[in-house]
């Protein structure tokens, strides 16, 4: 059986790091910047970055609606940090009027942008993560958290009382950056579900 082709939305963020993590997890990893590239993947990673900028670039490149359509059709997706924000159905503190982050509506959740604070409030923590043996070391950078989940959303991890990792169907989202740690278990969890 050949490796699944997983795209990394290459508009902003840790694109190289996610490509490396996906390859180590057994996927054929490629960048996605165009509709034809989106149409050619079996799964998609939406990396961190700035959710309002990612939304703007998706609109500028005419990728927003095609991406929403692929997700609605069941395209497996994994979003880290800003990627989590993008996969939500509702975004709190979505940004300045006219420059708001636009939800892709792949996971029934409400996410608060920059919930843990500013860049200086970034932190690291070891978390229990459902489906993964042993703690996951999590790097939080201007991270969101989940304020509400729908009935079909499974909570995978919490930082204190705050939800920081979820799954709904074949979509996974984390408020943190596993691609920065060298631990490939979350990427393997995603790839194994393709």
């Amino acid at each position: 059986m050949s490796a699944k082709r997983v795209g990394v939305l290459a508009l902003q963020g840790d694109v190289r790091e996610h490509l490396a993590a996906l390859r180590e997890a057994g996927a054929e990893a490629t960048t996605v910047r165009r509709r034809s590239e989106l149409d050619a993947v079996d799964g998609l990673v939406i990396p961190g970055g700035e959710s309002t900028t990612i939304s703007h670039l998706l609109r500028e490149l005419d990728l927003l609606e095609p991406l929403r359509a692929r997700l609605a059709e069941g395209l497996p997706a994994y979003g880290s940090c800003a990627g989590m924000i993008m996969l939500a159905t509702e975004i709190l503190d979505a940004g300045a009027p006219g420059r708001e982050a636009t939800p892709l509506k792949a996971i029934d959740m409400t996410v608060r942008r920059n919930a843990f604070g500013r860049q200086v409030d970034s932190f690291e923590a070891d978390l229990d993560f459902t489906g993964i043996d042993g703690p996951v070391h999590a790097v939080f950078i201007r991270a969101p958290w989940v304020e509400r989940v729908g009935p079909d959303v499974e909570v995978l991890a919490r930082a204190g009382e705050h939800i920081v990792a979820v799954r709904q169907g074949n979509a996974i989202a984390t408020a943190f950056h596993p691609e920065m740690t060298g631990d490939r278990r979350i990427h393997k969890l995603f790839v194994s579900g393709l």
Side-chain angles (χ1 to χ4, degrees):
M1 186 171 98
S2 63
K4 293 291 186 175
R5 187 173 176 85
V6 180
V8 177
L9 189 62
L11 305 180
Q12 194 185 44
D14 289 343
V15 174
R16 278 193 328 252
E17 292 84 350
H18 276 292
L19 289 169
L22 288 165
R23 289 177 184 128
E24 290 176 33
E28 177 190 336
T30 186
T31 57
V32 171
R33 291 185 190 93
R34 295 175 183 80
R35 171 77 184 266
S36 60
E37 295 165 339
L38 176 63
D39 291 342
V41 297
D42 301 309
L44 183 71
V45 171
I46 304 173
E50 213 289 313
S51 55
T52 59
T53 299
I54 295 169
S55 295
H56 173 74
L57 291 170
L58 284 172
R59 285 189 293 272
E60 286 294 309
L61 297 169
D62 291 323
L63 277 174
L64 181 63
E65 292 310 319
L67 177 52
R68 271 191 178 152
R70 287 272 340 252
L71 291 168
E73 293 164 1
L75 176 71
Y78 166 54
S80 65
C81 198
M84 170 185 259
I85 295 165
M86 297 301 299
L87 290 174
T89 51
E90 182 183 19
I91 302 168
L92 302 178
D93 301 325
R99 291 277 303 165
E100 300 96 343
T102 305
L104 294 170
K105 302 182 179 184
I107 298 177
D108 183 10
M109 63 180 171
T110 301
V111 175
R112 182 172 299 279
R113 289 176 68 234
N114 303 325
F116 284 104
R118 301 168 50 148
Q119 189 82 19
V120 298
D121 301 310
S122 299
F123 67 98
E124 299 181 24
D126 290 331
L127 307 175
D128 292 327
F129 195 103
T130 300
I132 294 178
D133 291 332
V136 169
H137 189 72
V139 177
F140 293 86
I141 303 171
R142 290 179 51 218
W145 67 48
V146 178
E147 294 209 351
R148 177 203 61 83
V149 294
D152 297 327
V153 177
E154 178 185 9
V155 174
L156 299 175
R158 295 177 184 268
E161 65 199 45
H162 302 293
I163 299 169
V164 295
V166 296
R167 173 176 33 215
Q168 182 176 3
N170 55 11
I172 297 173
T174 61
F176 52 90
H177 295 268
E179 75 281 2
M180 296 178 70
T181 67
D183 183 343
R184 303 307 185 215
R185 292 177 295 168
I186 292 174
H187 288 83
K188 286 179 182 175
L189 181 69
F190 175 61
V191 170
S192 71
L194 298 177

Short mmCIF file of all heavy atoms in Angstrom, two decimals, residues 158-191:
data_model
loop_
_atom_site.label_atom_id
_atom_site.label_comp_id
_atom_site.label_asym_id
_atom_site.label_seq_id
_atom_site.Cartn_x
_atom_site.Cartn_y
_atom_site.Cartn_z
N ARG A 158 -6.28 18.66 27.85
CA ARG A 158 -6.55 19.92 28.53
C ARG A 158 -5.25 20.44 29.13
O ARG A 158 -4.41 19.67 29.56
CB ARG A 158 -7.56 19.74 29.68
CG ARG A 158 -8.94 19.32 29.23
CD ARG A 158 -9.86 19.08 30.44
NE ARG A 158 -11.16 18.60 30.03
CZ ARG A 158 -12.21 19.37 29.79
NH1 ARG A 158 -12.12 20.68 29.95
NH2 ARG A 158 -13.35 18.86 29.40
N ALA A 159 -5.16 21.78 29.19
CA ALA A 159 -4.10 22.44 29.94
C ALA A 159 -4.81 23.12 31.10
O ALA A 159 -5.52 24.10 30.90
CB ALA A 159 -3.35 23.46 29.08
N GLY A 160 -4.69 22.54 32.28
CA GLY A 160 -5.51 22.99 33.41
C GLY A 160 -6.95 22.71 33.09
O GLY A 160 -7.31 21.60 32.71
N GLU A 161 -7.79 23.73 33.18
CA GLU A 161 -9.22 23.55 32.89
C GLU A 161 -9.57 23.79 31.43
O GLU A 161 -10.70 23.56 31.00
CB GLU A 161 -10.02 24.51 33.76
CG GLU A 161 -9.74 25.96 33.42
CD GLU A 161 -10.14 26.94 34.51
OE1 GLU A 161 -9.84 26.68 35.67
OE2 GLU A 161 -10.73 27.97 34.16
N HIS A 162 -8.60 24.22 30.64
CA HIS A 162 -8.88 24.62 29.26
C HIS A 162 -8.66 23.49 28.27
O HIS A 162 -7.63 22.81 28.29
CB HIS A 162 -8.01 25.81 28.87
CG HIS A 162 -8.20 26.99 29.77
ND1 HIS A 162 -9.38 27.69 29.83
CD2 HIS A 162 -7.37 27.56 30.67
CE1 HIS A 162 -9.27 28.66 30.72
NE2 HIS A 162 -8.05 28.60 31.24
N ILE A 163 -9.59 23.33 27.34
CA ILE A 163 -9.50 22.32 26.28
C ILE A 163 -8.49 22.81 25.25
O ILE A 163 -8.62 23.92 24.72
CB ILE A 163 -10.86 22.10 25.62
CG1 ILE A 163 -11.88 21.58 26.63
CG2 ILE A 163 -10.73 21.14 24.43
CD1 ILE A 163 -13.32 21.59 26.13
N VAL A 164 -7.48 21.95 24.94
CA VAL A 164 -6.42 22.35 24.02
C VAL A 164 -6.20 21.33 22.89
O VAL A 164 -5.33 21.55 22.04
CB VAL A 164 -5.10 22.65 24.75
CG1 VAL A 164 -5.25 23.86 25.67
CG2 VAL A 164 -4.60 21.43 25.53
N ALA A 165 -6.96 20.25 22.86
CA ALA A 165 -6.88 19.30 21.75
C ALA A 165 -8.22 18.60 21.62
O ALA A 165 -8.82 18.20 22.63
CB ALA A 165 -5.76 18.29 21.96
N VAL A 166 -8.69 18.45 20.37
CA VAL A 166 -9.99 17.85 20.10
C VAL A 166 -9.93 17.01 18.83
O VAL A 166 -9.04 17.16 18.01
CB VAL A 166 -11.09 18.92 19.94
CG1 VAL A 166 -11.31 19.71 21.22
CG2 VAL A 166 -10.78 19.85 18.78
N ARG A 167 -10.96 16.17 18.70
CA ARG A 167 -11.14 15.41 17.46
C ARG A 167 -12.64 15.31 17.18
O ARG A 167 -13.42 15.06 18.09
CB ARG A 167 -10.55 14.01 17.59
CG ARG A 167 -10.88 13.13 16.38
CD ARG A 167 -10.25 11.74 16.38
NE ARG A 167 -10.11 11.16 17.68
CZ ARG A 167 -9.09 10.36 18.04
NH1 ARG A 167 -8.15 10.07 17.18
NH2 ARG A 167 -9.02 9.87 19.24
N GLN A 168 -12.99 15.48 15.92
CA GLN A 168 -14.35 15.20 15.47
C GLN A 168 -14.22 14.46 14.15
O GLN A 168 -13.71 15.01 13.16
CB GLN A 168 -15.17 16.46 15.29
CG GLN A 168 -16.60 16.16 14.85
CD GLN A 168 -17.48 17.39 14.76
OE1 GLN A 168 -17.04 18.51 14.97
NE2 GLN A 168 -18.75 17.18 14.44
N GLY A 169 -14.64 13.22 14.15
CA GLY A 169 -14.50 12.41 12.94
C GLY A 169 -13.04 12.29 12.56
O GLY A 169 -12.21 11.86 13.37
N ASN A 170 -12.70 12.71 11.35
CA ASN A 170 -11.31 12.61 10.88
C ASN A 170 -10.58 13.95 10.93
O ASN A 170 -9.60 14.15 10.24
CB ASN A 170 -11.26 12.02 9.47
CG ASN A 170 -12.11 12.81 8.49
OD1 ASN A 170 -12.58 13.90 8.79
ND2 ASN A 170 -12.32 12.25 7.31
N ALA A 171 -11.09 14.86 11.77
CA ALA A 171 -10.42 16.16 11.96
C ALA A 171 -9.89 16.25 13.39
O ALA A 171 -10.60 15.93 14.35
CB ALA A 171 -11.38 17.30 11.69
N ILE A 172 -8.64 16.66 13.52
CA ILE A 172 -7.97 16.82 14.82
C ILE A 172 -7.46 18.25 14.89
O ILE A 172 -7.01 18.81 13.88
CB ILE A 172 -6.79 15.84 14.96
CG1 ILE A 172 -7.27 14.39 14.93
CG2 ILE A 172 -5.99 16.10 16.24
CD1 ILE A 172 -6.15 13.37 14.90
N ALA A 173 -7.48 18.83 16.09
CA ALA A 173 -6.93 20.17 16.27
C ALA A 173 -6.25 20.26 17.63
O ALA A 173 -6.73 19.69 18.62
CB ALA A 173 -8.03 21.22 16.17
N THR A 174 -5.10 20.95 17.65
CA THR A 174 -4.39 21.22 18.90
C THR A 174 -4.10 22.71 18.99
O THR A 174 -3.83 23.36 17.98
CB THR A 174 -3.06 20.44 19.00
OG1 THR A 174 -2.19 20.85 17.93
CG2 THR A 174 -3.28 18.94 18.93
N ALA A 175 -4.13 23.23 20.21
CA ALA A 175 -3.80 24.64 20.45
C ALA A 175 -2.30 24.86 20.47
O ALA A 175 -1.84 25.99 20.51
CB ALA A 175 -4.42 25.09 21.78
N PHE A 176 -1.54 23.79 20.45
CA PHE A 176 -0.09 23.84 20.58
C PHE A 176 0.59 23.32 19.32
O PHE A 176 -0.07 22.91 18.37
CB PHE A 176 0.37 23.08 21.83
CG PHE A 176 -0.16 21.67 21.91
CD1 PHE A 176 0.54 20.62 21.36
CD2 PHE A 176 -1.36 21.40 22.55
CE1 PHE A 176 0.07 19.32 21.43
CE2 PHE A 176 -1.85 20.11 22.63
CZ PHE A 176 -1.14 19.07 22.07
N HIS A 177 1.92 23.33 19.34
CA HIS A 177 2.74 23.04 18.16
C HIS A 177 3.56 21.76 18.35
O HIS A 177 4.74 21.84 18.68
CB HIS A 177 3.72 24.20 17.92
CG HIS A 177 3.07 25.49 17.56
ND1 HIS A 177 2.84 25.86 16.26
CD2 HIS A 177 2.61 26.50 18.32
CE1 HIS A 177 2.26 27.04 16.24
NE2 HIS A 177 2.11 27.46 17.47
N PRO A 178 3.02 20.58 18.08
CA PRO A 178 3.82 19.37 18.22
C PRO A 178 4.96 19.26 17.22
O PRO A 178 5.94 18.57 17.45
CB PRO A 178 2.81 18.24 18.04
CG PRO A 178 1.72 18.84 17.24
CD PRO A 178 1.65 20.29 17.65
N GLU A 179 4.84 19.96 16.10
CA GLU A 179 5.89 19.91 15.08
C GLU A 179 7.20 20.51 15.57
O GLU A 179 8.26 20.27 14.99
CB GLU A 179 5.42 20.62 13.79
CG GLU A 179 5.41 22.14 13.84
CD GLU A 179 4.23 22.76 14.56
OE1 GLU A 179 3.37 22.02 15.10
OE2 GLU A 179 4.15 24.01 14.59
N MET A 180 7.15 21.27 16.66
CA MET A 180 8.35 21.93 17.18
C MET A 180 9.12 21.08 18.19
O MET A 180 10.20 21.48 18.62
CB MET A 180 7.96 23.26 17.84
CG MET A 180 7.39 24.26 16.87
SD MET A 180 6.88 25.78 17.68
CE MET A 180 8.48 26.46 18.10
N THR A 181 8.59 19.92 18.57
CA THR A 181 9.18 19.16 19.68
C THR A 181 9.97 17.95 19.26
O THR A 181 10.70 17.40 20.07
CB THR A 181 8.08 18.70 20.65
OG1 THR A 181 7.26 17.73 19.98
CG2 THR A 181 7.24 19.87 21.14
N GLY A 182 9.80 17.46 18.04
CA GLY A 182 10.44 16.21 17.64
C GLY A 182 9.60 14.99 17.99
O GLY A 182 9.91 13.87 17.57
N ASP A 183 8.52 15.15 18.74
CA ASP A 183 7.60 14.07 19.08
C ASP A 183 6.59 13.95 17.94
O ASP A 183 5.84 14.89 17.68
CB ASP A 183 6.90 14.38 20.40
CG ASP A 183 5.97 13.28 20.88
OD1 ASP A 183 5.59 12.40 20.07
OD2 ASP A 183 5.60 13.31 22.07
N ARG A 184 6.59 12.84 17.25
CA ARG A 184 5.74 12.68 16.06
C ARG A 184 4.44 11.94 16.33
O ARG A 184 3.70 11.59 15.41
CB ARG A 184 6.52 11.95 14.95
CG ARG A 184 7.81 12.65 14.57
CD ARG A 184 7.57 14.09 14.21
NE ARG A 184 8.77 14.76 13.72
CZ ARG A 184 9.05 16.02 13.97
NH1 ARG A 184 8.25 16.76 14.70
NH2 ARG A 184 10.15 16.56 13.48
N ARG A 185 4.11 11.69 17.59
CA ARG A 185 2.94 10.86 17.90
C ARG A 185 1.62 11.48 17.44
O ARG A 185 0.73 10.75 17.01
CB ARG A 185 2.91 10.52 19.39
CG ARG A 185 4.06 9.60 19.79
CD ARG A 185 4.06 9.32 21.28
NE ARG A 185 4.33 10.56 22.02
CZ ARG A 185 4.16 10.68 23.33
NH1 ARG A 185 3.71 9.66 24.04
NH2 ARG A 185 4.44 11.82 23.93
N ILE A 186 1.47 12.78 17.53
CA ILE A 186 0.21 13.39 17.08
C ILE A 186 0.11 13.32 15.56
O ILE A 186 -0.95 13.00 15.01
CB ILE A 186 0.08 14.83 17.60
CG1 ILE A 186 -0.10 14.78 19.13
CG2 ILE A 186 -1.08 15.57 16.93
CD1 ILE A 186 -0.10 16.12 19.82
N HIS A 187 1.20 13.56 14.86
CA HIS A 187 1.18 13.42 13.40
C HIS A 187 0.91 11.96 13.00
O HIS A 187 0.16 11.70 12.06
CB HIS A 187 2.50 13.91 12.79
CG HIS A 187 2.65 15.40 12.85
ND1 HIS A 187 3.11 16.05 13.98
CD2 HIS A 187 2.38 16.36 11.93
CE1 HIS A 187 3.12 17.36 13.73
NE2 HIS A 187 2.68 17.57 12.50
N LYS A 188 1.49 11.02 13.73
CA LYS A 188 1.22 9.60 13.46
C LYS A 188 -0.24 9.26 13.71
O LYS A 188 -0.86 8.50 12.95
CB LYS A 188 2.13 8.71 14.30
CG LYS A 188 3.55 8.71 13.82
CD LYS A 188 4.45 7.84 14.69
CE LYS A 188 5.89 7.91 14.18
NZ LYS A 188 6.82 7.17 15.05
N LEU A 189 -0.82 9.82 14.78
CA LEU A 189 -2.24 9.61 15.06
C LEU A 189 -3.09 10.11 13.90
O LEU A 189 -4.02 9.43 13.45
CB LEU A 189 -2.61 10.34 16.36
CG LEU A 189 -4.05 10.21 16.84
CD1 LEU A 189 -4.35 8.78 17.30
CD2 LEU A 189 -4.33 11.19 17.96
N PHE A 190 -2.75 11.28 13.38
CA PHE A 190 -3.49 11.84 12.24
C PHE A 190 -3.31 10.97 10.99
O PHE A 190 -4.29 10.57 10.35
CB PHE A 190 -3.04 13.28 11.97
CG PHE A 190 -3.66 13.87 10.74
CD1 PHE A 190 -5.04 14.00 10.62
CD2 PHE A 190 -2.87 14.30 9.68
CE1 PHE A 190 -5.60 14.55 9.48
CE2 PHE A 190 -3.42 14.84 8.54
CZ PHE A 190 -4.80 14.97 8.44
N VAL A 191 -2.07 10.65 10.65
CA VAL A 191 -1.79 9.88 9.44
C VAL A 191 -2.41 8.48 9.52
O VAL A 191 -2.94 7.97 8.53
CB VAL A 191 -0.26 9.80 9.19
CG1 VAL A 191 0.08 8.80 8.10
CG2 VAL A 191 0.29 11.18 8.86
#
